[in-house]
Amino acid sequence: MKDFIELKQVRKKYQMGEVVIHALDGIDFMIEEGEFVVIVGPSGAGKTTVLNILGGMDTASEGTVSVDGIDIARFNEKQLTKYRRDDIGFVFQFYNLVQNLTAKENVELAAQICKNPLDAELILKEVGLEERVHNFPAQLSGGEQQRVAIARALAKNPKLLLCDEPTGALDYLTGKSILKLLQDTCKQRNMTVIVITHNTALTPMADRIIKIKNGKVSEMILNENTVSVETIEW
């Protein structure tokens, strides 16, 4: 394994009138390729800001954000657009599916914009939706819609899968099945997966746990005895 991601002294400031808000205040961490990472912390700690910077949706005010050996903090807008399009898969709390497109068409939509897309029907089969390929989002349960959203992200064949509270809108059992899908995807594809959550009970499933508090990393733990999410209760 190699260091795939490295953040050094990353700061993010927002100017709100005369007030300066320090969302990130010197974040340092590294992640190896193929790891399943859980970033945990209370609401307002800076978790989503870290994810947005890693995904090229926001930029750091200071510091280095190295992904696969390249400092994306130095990218201009055009470079960031290409990076988001080609290298990053996003999964959000709310599914952001296009309502008048079928599951397959939603996945194909993402596949059309990147370099080496995977087959939409094959990916939908992998996430357990081979019988739902031609259904519209309104005909799917919440868990099925989130599976379509994950398939859409995977169809891009990304280097990095970023998940922002992916089970936040789901019930307990459905949430577990989604987390198992993400954990299995990480292992089977050797894909680097980062999940942010406020649920500390999920940390035993991660290879690496990064705890964020008040815009800083309060603790980073390497977990050598990961467990399947199926064995975790919360």
Side-chain angles (χ1 to χ4, degrees):
M1 285 190 176
K2 61 176 181 176
D3 287 343
F4 181 60
I5 293 168
E6 187 171 12
L7 273 66
K8 286 184 182 175
Q9 284 300 295
V10 172
R11 290 180 162 78
K12 180 65 184 179
K13 302 172 192 169
Y14 295 102
Q15 187 86 33
M16 308 284 283
E18 295 182 5
V19 179
V20 177
I21 295 168
H22 296 269
L24 300 180
D25 195 17
I27 289 273
D28 291 288
F29 65 74
M30 60 186 62
I31 293 169
E32 290 185 351
E33 192 169 20
E35 284 188 330
F36 189 95
V37 180
V38 169
I39 297 180
V40 69
S43 201
K47 306 185 300 295
T48 297
T49 305
V50 167
L51 208 74
N52 288 345
I53 288 172
L54 273 174
M57 292 193 292
D58 203 350
T59 53
S61 305
E62 296 174 32
T64 303
V65 183
S66 177
V67 179
D68 202 15
I70 298 166
D71 184 7
I72 67 165
R74 303 286 168 263
F75 278 6
N76 59 32
E77 199 54 53
K78 188 175 180 182
Q79 289 171 310
L80 281 174
T81 300
K82 186 176 185 302
Y83 168 72
R84 285 192 301 268
R85 187 180 65 216
D86 293 340
D87 295 340
I88 304 297
F90 292 106
V91 179
F92 301 101
Q93 179 174 346
F94 301 104
Y95 325 118
N96 299 314
L97 300 178
V98 181
Q99 294 299 309
N100 62 345
L101 296 181
T102 64
K104 181 184 176 186
E105 289 166 344
N106 266 282
V107 175
E108 286 175 336
L109 196 63
Q112 285 171 7
I113 64 169
C114 55
K115 282 188 302 189
N116 301 304
L118 304 174
D119 181 73
E121 283 199 37
L122 188 67
I123 291 293
L124 283 164
K125 185 178 180 182
E126 281 189 18
V127 302
L129 292 178
E130 61 265 48
E131 304 296 321
R132 303 298 233 163
V133 169
H134 301 297
N135 286 90
F136 292 95
Q139 299 169 316
L140 303 173
S141 69
E144 287 171 333
Q145 288 186 65
Q146 190 62 297
R147 284 174 184 270
V148 175
I150 291 168
R152 179 181 57 190
L154 294 178
K156 292 175 66 182
N157 202 13
K159 289 181 180 178
L160 179 60
L161 188 61
L162 301 176
C163 310
D164 189 354
E165 297 277 6
T167 62
L170 301 172
D171 64 76
Y172 175 75
L173 290 174
T174 308
K176 258 194 172 182
S177 70
I178 292 298
L179 287 167
K180 183 175 188 321
L181 175 59
L182 291 171
Q183 192 177 35
D184 291 348
T185 298
C186 174
K187 300 301 176 227
Q188 290 162 8
R189 295 183 172 275
N190 194 37
M191 186 181 288
T192 309
V193 178
I194 301 176
V195 175
I196 69 167
T197 182
H198 60 271
N199 186 356
T200 54
L202 299 181
T203 54
M205 71 182 288
D207 299 305
R208 186 182 298 264
I209 301 116
I210 298 169
K211 297 183 179 181
I212 294 182
K213 190 175 180 182
N214 299 326
K216 294 183 178 181
V217 174
S218 61
E219 190 177 9
M220 186 165 72
I221 303 162
L222 280 175
N223 180 14
E224 305 209 346
N225 300 301
T226 59
V227 300
S228 168
V229 70
E230 293 170 302
T231 67
I232 300 172
E233 302 289 336
W234 65 87

